[in-house]
Amino acid sequence: MTDETQWRAGFACLVGRPNAGKSTLTNALVGDKVAITSSKPQTTRHTIRGIVTREHQQLVLVDTPGLHKPRTLLGERLNDLVRETLLEVDVIGFCMPADQRIGPGDTYIAKDLAELQRAKRVPVVAIATKADAVDRERLAEHLIAIDQLGDWAAIVPCSAVRGDQVDDVLAVLGGYLPPSPAPLYPVDQVSDEDDEKMIAELVREAALEGVRDELPHSLAVVVEELVPREGRPDDDPMLDVRVNVFVERDSQKAIIIGRGGSRLREVGTTARVGIEELLGQKVFLDLHVKVAKDWQRDPKQLQRLGF
């Protein structure tokens, strides 16, 4: 008979092609915003750990960039990051959105996961995301197609937006966690991201909204400075946050700034709300847009921008 007070704790990785709903599901499972979301593919650029703690169970979610056929050095590095992550987790959740047919991208990932299962015996749970976007008949067709795609430990449909069956996803993934003498992180912690990374991600999320399809891949954000404003009263502090937004061409810089700076002001206003919520204090956000020509293909610039 098992000890009911025994902790189970470990790592789960959500994978899937770009824009499969991985970041939205991560946020829904955690119950807090730890990963930025966007309708644009390839929004996630690095693994993000969201921490879900329930009674005697802690699931550390690793939200990875979407696996895809890379066209740049950045794309190759993002794929390598996903594969490295897969070797270190206890269970994998393979996200396949219900509002899209199973396609070559899903088949490509399923083949990768089958090889991993043979090599490391990591259980893979198939997750039919965006179940709210289709009717019951279409969802049933999608679940059958998922079943035919591979040998899964389980298949779970869910809607992260509506919260439907998110607890079922958590229960299934949590069932594959190993015993642990204690939780891996403090029980009140929801992410291991530092403030600078989260600030950069919030700025990038705001900048991605409403822009053309070619721009998201060319956008990188770096926090240059994060310092308390001098002379502020102790009960009303303010942080000065200086952020550089990098694009690859002058034409993209013009898109981000907008006519008379209107677009950049919108980005700053939206991002500041999220940053103030994150940090719990007032923020003065100073945004600058710079051109780093073809940075996605330049190893030195990739390193400088944190890739």
Side-chain angles (χ1 to χ4, degrees):
M1 191 165 176
T2 58
D3 179 1
E4 290 185 3
T5 63
Q6 170 72 60
W7 275 89
R8 287 188 171 271
F11 293 84
C13 182
L14 298 181
V15 300
R17 52 193 164 91
N19 210 20
K22 301 180 296 296
S23 297
T24 306
L25 180 56
T26 294
N27 291 338
L29 288 164
V30 174
D32 207 339
K33 184 164 184 165
V34 295
I36 71 169
T37 59
S38 169
S39 60
K40 306 294 182 185
Q42 283 177 252
T43 299
T44 303
R45 287 270 177 78
H46 57 283
T47 56
I48 294 171
R49 287 187 173 87
I51 304 160
V52 190
T53 306
R54 297 291 185 267
E55 191 172 356
H56 305 303
Q57 175 182 296
Q58 189 173 77
L59 180 72
V60 184
L61 278 162
V62 185
D63 175 35
T64 62
L67 275 168
H68 61 289
K69 190 173 181 178
R71 295 193 301 259
T72 64
L73 181 58
L74 173 64
E76 290 174 14
R77 290 192 178 177
L78 294 180
N79 271 0
D80 289 344
L81 185 64
V82 177
R83 292 193 174 98
E84 286 169 16
T85 303
L86 293 179
L87 295 171
E88 299 171 353
V89 298
D90 301 296
V91 59
I92 296 166
F94 180 15
C95 296
M96 288 169 274
D99 62 346
Q100 299 171 43
R101 303 280 176 183
I102 298 296
D106 298 306
T107 305
Y108 168 77
I109 295 168
K111 186 178 176 183
D112 262 17
L113 293 177
E115 290 176 8
L116 185 74
Q117 283 174 295
R118 284 193 291 271
K120 287 207 69 182
R121 300 192 182 280
V122 180
V124 179
V125 175
I127 304 171
T129 54
K130 307 186 184 182
D132 60 298
V134 296
D135 59 28
R136 293 177 69 177
E137 184 178 347
R138 171 70 193 105
L139 181 59
E141 290 175 8
H142 188 62
L143 294 173
I144 291 168
I146 288 174
D147 185 47
Q148 294 172 343
L149 186 63
D151 183 16
W152 315 116
I155 302 174
V156 188
C158 74
S159 165
V161 171
R162 284 201 317 223
D164 299 347
Q165 293 184 263
V166 170
D167 284 343
D168 292 347
V169 174
L170 181 59
V172 172
L173 294 176
Y176 292 100
L177 299 180
S180 175
L184 303 173
Y185 291 87
V187 295
D188 58 349
Q189 190 171 341
V190 296
S191 178
D192 71 349
E193 287 282 35
D194 61 42
D195 288 343
E196 285 196 12
K197 272 190 179 175
M198 285 300 294
I199 289 168
E201 289 292 272
L202 288 166
V203 171
R204 194 160 63 90
E205 179 182 47
L208 283 172
E209 287 311 307
V211 298
R212 294 180 200 158
D213 288 342
E214 76 273 10
L215 186 56
H217 315 291
S218 302
L219 201 66
V221 179
V222 176
V223 176
E224 292 293 331
E225 194 172 47
L226 187 66
V227 294
R229 174 75 63 88
E230 291 184 5
R232 296 284 297 190
D234 292 341
D235 61 350
D236 189 24
M238 177 180 279
L239 272 179
D240 285 316
V241 182
R242 187 171 183 275
V243 175
N244 287 334
V245 178
F246 291 94
V247 292
E248 293 188 296
R249 296 189 295 278
D250 287 323
S251 60
Q252 295 169 339
K253 181 177 179 178
I255 292 170
I256 291 293
I257 293 174
R259 187 183 296 274
S262 59
R263 175 88 186 104
L264 190 61
R265 283 194 294 274
E266 285 178 19
V267 171
T269 300
T270 302
R272 192 181 68 249
V273 171
I275 294 167
E276 289 183 339
E277 191 174 313
L278 170 72
L279 301 178
Q281 62 176 289
K282 289 179 182 175
V283 163
F284 178 80
L285 181 59
D286 185 19
L287 293 179
H288 296 266
V289 185
K290 299 187 175 185
V291 176
K293 188 172 171 54
D294 294 330
W295 66 263
Q296 291 186 79
R297 294 169 174 80
D298 184 336
K300 286 185 179 177
Q301 294 203 83
L302 278 171
Q303 187 174 17
R304 186 164 65 90
L305 296 174
F307 300 103

